[in-house]
């Protein structure tokens, strides 16, 4: 029995990354297992180990320890090869199957069911997603390609049923450029909850950071259509003889090269749509169905072979393509290489800061200098001749280390003013500037041609001579300045962006209304019925209340007395310590096994429970001091509780045992086991992220130990309440344990306290 789960811990805990095993043997005790776990947990904790795989390794180590430290789970794993995620089902079914198997012989493999974790299909392993990987990599990447994600779990019959179809479609779509992901709900509950998957199996699509669920039958055609529907509908325009001139002539307005794919397929191939989505920020895409009547002139003009798919890139010249590729089988890699080399126009217009940074990158070394030749010009026919001459010069002299761009002075006035010192000299004319970016803060070195650019032969010779000198003399760029970020000329207006956001929100609501299950709809229905109940309740109360009698009747003697008392209470609260809340109390509940799950284990993300440790003898004194120290921090995200040390000492001992070097505890079987004093300890528990922060009691011998004494507290109370307070030498020393708790609470809210992570919350009972 020990051989299987020892190797399991070794495989998970050091996963081939450590040169030596853990040293566990069949006689190893729980103390040895715990010692090995704590050593590995410290080594692979994400806060201490910056290795990219440290987080995943830490999770695997925690799961291995969870199995080995639990006798029932360990026995379950040794018999059936499963850690027992679903104990209620798996253990019962395993026992029934085991007893049935003893009486009758048959082969387990006949059922093709994963009774042993080692027999499961490993095709999904390379697609497994973790929460941090999803947030940091998958979501940003979804703005370049759509993702198809499956949520699965162990002991899921439907998951096994759809596995062959999923495997086939995943392999097919991955080749086309679709991202594939698999989330195991048993091990990645946080990610499954974040995605909104409440059942398995579930399939969803992710594009532009937006999640869409798949609701149809799991067959190949439906999944392909689902991925295709995720893509925007205007990615590829159908091109014929009637509209190709208009399409190709939009290069000046859109500031993009235009791509035409000639193919004999009546519908746009999915590969081409995915490519158009990936390069939509750089290129515009059109599709020509060569078998359609009305495309003969287009095919003839560009000499297209109708039997072979052909892709053409058009830049500033509509009559001839800038680059062409033909292949009987257009593969994704071939298309990517072709398009990545033709992402920009020959003389692109600087319309945004992002485009400027891509075309004119910052130099990384002297051997990797990048220079930009910028034409500062205007719009209209007046400047057309100068632009055409600059374009001709750029086509003949473009190199990897030299980029030619142009800019409209009236659209980017700050850019033009920084480079043209003598504005009167270049007013109404074009100018050429050679520049080199020095850093990302906007610093550049540049040289402006002394005369305005008119496109003459003399201008060409002068510019060519300067570029030749620049190759050998980088100091030619003698002027320096700092450029402000360029305006984004092609950004949509605020009203249009707002309209798109509203349409997306309506679409999400519509999809949720018709496809969500009752579990997802319950919060919305509960909110709706609560609002209706409050509305009708208010109407009924107002209808039956006699407000006029109350308004006209004079106040009674009791009411006058109550008003005076309220006045006195108000004046007292102003004169007393400002840290006492207006409502007069802080809600502190006892943490018991009844409310343990709701107040800690299932606490909402972002919420914390601040727990005071006390005993029956110190309960009254510590609660009074605790309320005074924490009242200013009461809010919607903090909950306050206390834990009885007489009832739940073992729970606290377990928690502190896993606090790495936070509170070293001697052997639990020594004679002082029950004498250690934990009263006054305060723990801030984050149930969602499974960590806690620890406040150790203040000792009277420390600096400032006499502050916050019982006399100060007693003097702030009214005369009637002073006799009731528990002021005595003993209570004074107990209260001093919570001295400086308020400063600790401030650091807690700032997030500057040390955090102690644990694999799972122990049961309170």
């Amino acid at each position: 029995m020990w051989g299987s789960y020892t190797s399991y811990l070794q495989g998970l805990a050091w996963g081939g990354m450590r040169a030596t095993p853990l040293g566990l043997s069949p006689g190893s005790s729980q103390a040895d297992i715990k010692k090995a776990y704590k050593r590995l947990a410290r080594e692979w904790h994400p806060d201490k180990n910056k290795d990219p795989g440290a987080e995943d390794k830490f999770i695997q180590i925690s799961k291995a320890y969870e199995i080995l430290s639990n006798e029932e789970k360990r026995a379950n794993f040794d018999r059936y090869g499963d850690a027992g995620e679903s104990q209620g089902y798996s253990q019962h079914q395993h026992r029934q199957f085991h007893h049935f198997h003893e009486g009758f012989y048959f082969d387990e493999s006949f059922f093709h069911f994963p009774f042993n974790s080692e027999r499961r299909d490993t095709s999904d392993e390379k697609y497994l997603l973790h929460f941090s990987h999803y947030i940091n990599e998958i979501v940003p990447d979804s703005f370049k390609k759509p993702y198809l994600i499956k949520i699965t779990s162990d002991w899921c019959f439907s998951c096994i049923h759809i596995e062959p179809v999923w495997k086939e479609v995943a392999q097919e779509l991955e080749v086309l450029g679709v991202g594939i992901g698999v989330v195991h709900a048993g091990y990645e509950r946080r990610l499954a909850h974040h995605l909104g998957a409440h059942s398995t199996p579930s399939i969803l699509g992710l594009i532009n950071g937006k999640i869409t669920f798949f609701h149809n039958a799991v067959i190949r055609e439906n999944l392909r259509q689902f991925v295709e529907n995720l893509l925007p509908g205007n990615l590829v325009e159908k091109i014929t003889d009637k509209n190709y001139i208009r399409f190709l002539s939009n290069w000046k307005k859109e500031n993009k090269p235009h791509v035409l794919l000639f193919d004999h397929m009546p519908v746009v191939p999915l590969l081409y749509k995915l490519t158009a989505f990936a390069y939509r920020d750089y290129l515009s895409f059109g599709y020509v169905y060569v078998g359609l009547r009305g495309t003969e002139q287009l095919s003839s003009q560009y000499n297209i072979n109708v039997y072979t798919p052909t892709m053409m890139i058009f830049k500033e010249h509509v009559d001839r393509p800038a680059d062409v590729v033909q292949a009987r089988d257009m593969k994704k890699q071939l298309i990517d290489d072709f398009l990545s080399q033709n992402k920009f126009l020959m003389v692109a217009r600087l319309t945004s800061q992002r485009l400027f940074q891509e075309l004119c990158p910052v130099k990384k070394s002297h051997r990797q200098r990048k220079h930009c030749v910028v034409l500062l010009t205007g719009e209209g026919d007046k400047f057309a001749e100068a632009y055409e001459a600059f374009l001709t010069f750029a086509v003949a002299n473009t190199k990897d280390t030299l980029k030619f761009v142009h800019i409209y002075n009236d659209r980017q006035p700050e850019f033009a003013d920084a480079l043209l010192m003598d504005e009167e000299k270049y007013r109404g004319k074009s100018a050429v500037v050679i520049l080199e970016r020095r850093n990302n803060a906007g610093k550049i070195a540049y040289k402006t041609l002394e005369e305005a650019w008119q496109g003459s032969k003399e201008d060409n010779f002068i510019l060519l001579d300067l570029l030749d000198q620049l190759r050998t003399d980088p100091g030619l760029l003698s002027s320096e300045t700092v450029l402000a970020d360029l305006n984004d000329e092609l950004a949509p207006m605020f009203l249009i962006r707002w309209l798109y956001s509203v349409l997306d929100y309506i679409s999400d609501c519509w999809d949720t209304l018709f496809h969500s299950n009752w579990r997802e709809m319950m919060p919305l229905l509960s909110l709706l019925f609560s609002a209706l109940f409050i509305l009708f309740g208010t109407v009924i109360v107002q209808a039956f209340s006699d407000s006029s009698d109350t308004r006209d009747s004079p106040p009674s003697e009791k009411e006058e007395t109550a008003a005076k008392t309220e006045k006195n209470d108000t004046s007292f609260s102003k004169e007393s310590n400002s840290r006492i809340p207006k409502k007069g109390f802080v809600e502190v509940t006892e943490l018991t096994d009844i409310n343990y799950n709701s107040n800690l284990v299932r606490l909402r993300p972002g919420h914390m429970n601040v727990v005071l440790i006390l005993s029956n003898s110190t309960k009254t004194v510590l609660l009074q001091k605790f309320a005074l120290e924490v009242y200013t921090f009461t809010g919607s995200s903090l909950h306050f509780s206390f834990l009885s040390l007489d009832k739940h000492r073992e729970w606290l001992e377990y928690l502190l045992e896993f606090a790495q070097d936070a509170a070293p505890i001697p052997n639990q079987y020594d004679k002082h086991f029950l004498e250690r004093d934990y009263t006054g300890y305060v723990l801030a528990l984050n149930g969602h992220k499974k960590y806690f922060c620890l406040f150790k009691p203040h000792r009277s011998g420390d600096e400032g130990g006499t502050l916050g004494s019982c006399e100060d507290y007693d003097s702030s109370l009214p005369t009637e309440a002073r006799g009731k307070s528990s002021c005595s030498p003993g209570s004074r020393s107990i209260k001093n344990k919570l001295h400086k708790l308020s400063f600790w609470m401030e650091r807690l809210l700032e997030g500057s306290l040390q955090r102690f992570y644990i694999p799972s919350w122990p049961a309170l009972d």
Side-chain angles (χ1 to χ4, degrees):
M1 179 178 74
W2 264 88
S4 60
Y5 64 74
T6 302
S7 61
Y8 180 81
L9 179 60
Q10 291 174 350
L12 287 183
W14 46 277
M17 299 181 68
R18 295 178 59 88
T20 58
L22 298 178
L24 297 178
S25 63
S28 297
S29 63
Q30 285 292 335
D32 296 332
I33 296 174
K34 184 184 296 185
K35 183 179 179 181
Y37 164 74
K38 293 182 70 174
R39 174 171 54 83
L40 289 171
R42 288 192 184 96
E43 179 180 353
W44 291 101
H45 197 282
D47 291 344
K48 298 182 178 181
N49 195 321
K50 302 305 180 183
D51 189 279
E55 182 176 356
D56 295 338
K57 190 64 59 180
F58 182 76
I59 294 174
Q60 292 174 345
I61 292 170
S62 299
K63 293 188 181 299
Y65 176 73
E66 186 179 355
I67 294 174
L68 292 182
S69 61
N70 188 296
E71 295 291 343
E72 189 174 357
K73 287 186 178 181
R74 187 169 66 194
N76 186 53
F77 177 80
D78 288 334
R79 294 192 186 98
Y80 314 115
D82 188 86
E85 283 290 332
S86 179
Q87 294 293 334
Y89 172 81
S90 60
Q91 292 182 7
H92 177 69
Q93 293 296 330
H94 272 136
R95 293 192 187 100
Q96 289 187 351
F97 179 82
H98 182 68
H99 294 321
F100 183 79
H101 190 275
E102 289 176 349
F104 300 91
Y105 174 80
F106 57 87
D107 188 3
E108 282 183 11
S109 62
F110 173 78
F111 292 93
H112 301 284
F113 196 83
F115 287 107
N116 193 307
S117 60
E118 297 178 358
R119 302 182 187 178
R120 290 181 295 193
D121 188 4
T122 59
S123 61
D124 285 343
E125 289 185 0
K126 66 177 182 177
Y127 303 125
L128 287 176
L129 302 180
H130 304 292
F131 186 83
S132 60
H133 177 227
Y134 172 82
I135 295 296
N136 299 325
E137 298 183 25
I138 301 300
V139 173
D141 199 37
S142 68
F143 289 85
K144 298 179 182 178
K145 64 180 180 181
Y147 273 82
L148 190 66
I149 300 176
K150 178 184 70 172
I151 291 85
T152 184
S153 63
D154 291 334
W155 304 103
C156 171
F157 288 93
S158 299
C159 300
I160 301 170
H161 179 72
I162 69 172
E163 188 64 30
V165 179
W166 168 262
K167 185 176 180 181
E168 176 188 358
V169 174
Q171 293 175 351
E172 178 184 352
L173 294 179
E174 188 179 22
V175 174
L176 299 180
V178 178
I180 305 297
V182 175
V183 178
H184 196 292
Y187 297 104
E188 288 294 334
R189 292 188 179 92
R190 182 183 180 188
L191 179 53
H193 178 73
H194 176 79
L195 296 174
H198 302 296
S199 61
T200 55
S202 294
I203 295 177
L204 56 90
L206 175 70
I207 189 169
N208 291 332
K210 177 185 175 183
I211 296 172
T212 303
F213 275 86
F214 174 77
H215 299 290
N216 297 325
V218 183
I219 58 178
R220 176 180 175 274
E221 291 75 13
N222 288 348
L223 288 173
R224 280 181 59 93
Q225 189 62 42
F226 173 68
V227 172
E228 194 164 351
N229 291 340
L230 292 176
L231 299 169
N234 58 349
L235 285 173
V236 182
E237 184 177 350
K238 295 289 185 68
I239 303 301
T240 63
D241 294 340
K242 297 180 179 180
N243 64 351
Y244 82 96
I245 296 294
R246 175 193 57 78
F247 174 74
L248 297 179
S249 299
N250 280 337
W251 67 267
K252 182 174 295 186
K253 178 182 178 181
E254 298 177 359
N255 195 36
K256 297 178 182 178
H258 283 58
V259 186
L260 283 182
L261 175 64
F262 297 82
D263 203 351
H264 53 81
M265 299 292 292
V267 296
V268 181
L270 180 58
L271 173 61
Y272 194 55
K273 288 185 176 181
L274 292 169
T275 304
F277 179 75
Y279 290 90
R280 68 190 185 280
D281 293 335
Y282 301 96
L283 303 164
S284 293
F285 292 83
Y287 180 75
V288 182
Y289 172 35
V290 295
L292 179 67
R293 180 174 298 178
T295 61
E296 297 87 353
Q297 177 185 347
L298 185 58
S299 301
S300 175
Q301 178 176 349
Y302 298 116
N303 195 21
I304 300 299
N305 183 357
V306 297
Y307 300 104
T308 304
T310 304
M311 186 175 290
M312 291 184 171
I313 291 244
F314 294 83
K315 295 186 178 179
E316 284 88 350
H317 299 102
V318 177
D319 56 340
R320 62 182 185 275
D323 205 352
V324 181
V325 63
Q326 281 187 342
R328 289 191 176 275
D329 189 10
M330 283 279 188
K331 297 291 186 181
K332 182 180 184 299
Q333 186 62 45
L334 174 65
I335 297 177
D336 287 342
D337 293 341
F338 177 69
L339 296 180
S340 60
Q341 297 173 4
N342 296 279
K343 289 166 54 177
F344 305 105
L345 296 169
M346 298 301 298
V347 182
R349 180 161 59 93
L350 297 181
T351 56
S352 66
Q353 184 67 18
R354 178 188 62 82
L355 189 60
F356 181 41
Q357 292 172 349
E358 289 196 54
L359 289 172
C360 306
V362 177
K363 69 168 186 176
K364 297 181 180 178
S365 67
H366 290 287
R367 295 183 179 181
Q368 297 178 339
R369 290 181 178 274
K370 302 285 186 180
H371 296 97
C372 273
V373 183
V374 185
L375 174 67
L376 291 89
T377 184
E379 300 181 68
D381 297 336
K382 177 182 177 181
F383 302 93
E385 184 178 352
Y387 169 78
E388 290 296 335
F390 187 77
L391 175 61
T392 303
F393 183 89
V395 172
N397 295 279
T398 296
K399 301 175 183 178
D400 291 339
T401 59
L402 199 62
K403 293 292 184 182
F404 291 84
V405 296
H406 73 286
I407 196 168
Y408 289 154
N409 296 342
D410 55 343
R411 297 197 183 189
Q412 304 289 348
E414 295 182 2
F415 188 93
D417 293 343
L419 298 178
L420 301 179
M421 303 301 294
D422 189 359
E423 298 182 8
E424 293 298 330
K425 181 178 180 180
Y426 300 101
R427 185 177 298 277
K429 299 179 182 180
S430 301
V432 173
V433 178
I434 306 173
L435 63 84
E436 177 187 3
R437 293 181 65 226
R438 294 294 173 86
N439 57 34
N440 292 319
K443 184 179 180 180
I444 66 165
Y446 72 98
K447 180 176 180 58
T448 305
L449 268 66
E450 295 181 359
E451 299 297 330
W453 175 267
Q454 297 177 354
S456 63
K457 290 185 178 181
E458 184 180 356
D459 291 340
N460 281 267
F461 285 133
I462 294 174
L463 180 57
L464 187 60
D465 183 56
L466 285 175
L467 294 177
D468 289 338
Q469 294 180 42
L470 190 61
R471 272 186 272 175
T472 57
D473 183 16
L476 184 66
L477 307 180
S478 56
S479 302
E480 290 188 351
T481 187
V482 177
L483 297 177
D485 289 350
L486 275 70
N487 303 322
D488 193 350
E489 300 177 14
L490 303 180
M493 297 175 58
F494 171 77
L495 183 61
I496 296 177
R497 296 199 304 268
W498 178 82
L499 182 61
Y500 285 155
S501 300
V502 171
L503 292 177
D504 289 341
Y505 178 77
I506 294 175
S507 176
D508 292 342
C509 293
W510 182 268
D511 182 73
T512 302
L513 181 62
F514 284 93
H515 294 106
S516 296
N517 54 35
W518 281 106
R519 180 175 180 175
E520 295 170 335
M521 292 293 292
M522 281 304 294
L524 180 61
L525 294 176
S526 176
L527 179 63
L528 179 62
F529 282 111
S530 298
L532 292 176
F533 178 78
I534 294 173
L535 178 63
F536 285 105
T538 304
V539 172
I540 293 174
V541 169
Q542 289 181 350
F544 286 94
S545 63
D546 190 2
S547 58
S548 59
D549 294 340
T550 306
R551 194 185 309 117
D552 297 334
S553 59
S556 61
E557 294 181 2
K558 290 185 177 180
E559 291 174 346
E560 291 180 354
T561 306
K564 291 180 181 178
T565 305
E566 186 176 351
K567 259 189 178 180
N568 294 335
D569 291 343
T570 305
S571 61
F572 159 70
S573 63
K574 291 181 180 178
E575 296 170 359
S576 63
N577 193 332
S578 60
R579 292 175 56 189
I580 299 178
K582 291 183 179 181
K583 62 182 181 180
F585 69 93
V586 177
E587 185 176 357
V588 184
T589 59
E590 183 177 4
L591 199 62
T592 64
D593 54 349
I594 298 176
N595 61 8
Y596 180 74
N597 284 336
S598 59
N599 285 1
L600 175 59
V601 179
R602 297 176 183 172
L603 209 59
R604 287 181 295 174
H607 287 238
M608 298 185 72
N609 196 340
V610 182
V611 181
L612 169 67
I613 308 300
L614 48 76
S615 61
N616 291 336
S617 59
T618 61
K619 181 176 181 180
T620 304
V621 179
L622 284 179
L623 279 179
Q624 289 179 354
K625 182 64 174 176
F626 182 72
L628 286 173
E629 292 289 326
V630 304
Y631 92 95
T632 55
F633 306 97
T634 55
S636 58
S637 61
L638 288 180
H639 307 266
F640 299 96
S641 305
F642 69 91
L643 185 78
S644 174
L645 194 62
D646 301 314
K647 301 177 184 177
H648 305 295
R649 171 182 288 269
E650 186 176 352
W651 180 88
L652 181 63
E653 293 273 1
Y654 175 88
L655 206 62
L656 296 180
E657 176 71 16
F658 284 94
Q660 299 177 9
D661 303 325
I665 299 174
N667 189 336
Q668 59 177 347
Y669 298 108
D670 64 1
K671 62 181 181 179
H672 301 292
F673 172 66
L674 296 177
E675 297 176 4
R676 289 191 292 275
D677 183 21
Y678 296 112
T679 57
Y681 275 50
V682 179
L683 293 85
L685 309 173
N686 191 315
H688 182 68
K689 294 187 177 180
K690 295 182 181 178
Y691 73 80
F692 67 93
C693 302
L694 179 65
F695 170 83
K696 291 185 179 181
H698 176 72
R699 297 178 180 178
S700 59
D702 294 342
E703 183 181 356
T706 59
L707 295 176
S709 62
C710 190
E711 288 83 0
D712 297 333
Y713 169 76
D714 201 11
S715 62
S716 66
L717 295 177
T719 308
E720 296 81 5
R722 292 180 185 176
K724 299 178 182 179
S725 63
S726 56
C727 281
S728 64
S731 64
R732 186 180 306 120
S733 61
I734 294 174
K735 285 183 179 180
N736 283 339
K737 286 188 172 186
L738 299 182
H739 180 55
K740 295 186 179 179
L741 177 61
S742 59
F743 298 104
W744 182 83
M745 290 291 296
E746 291 178 359
R747 293 185 60 196
L748 173 67
L749 296 181
E750 292 172 357
S752 59
L753 291 175
Q754 184 180 5
R755 298 177 179 181
F756 305 105
Y757 290 85
I758 61 172
S760 61
W761 293 111
L764 192 61
D765 56 348

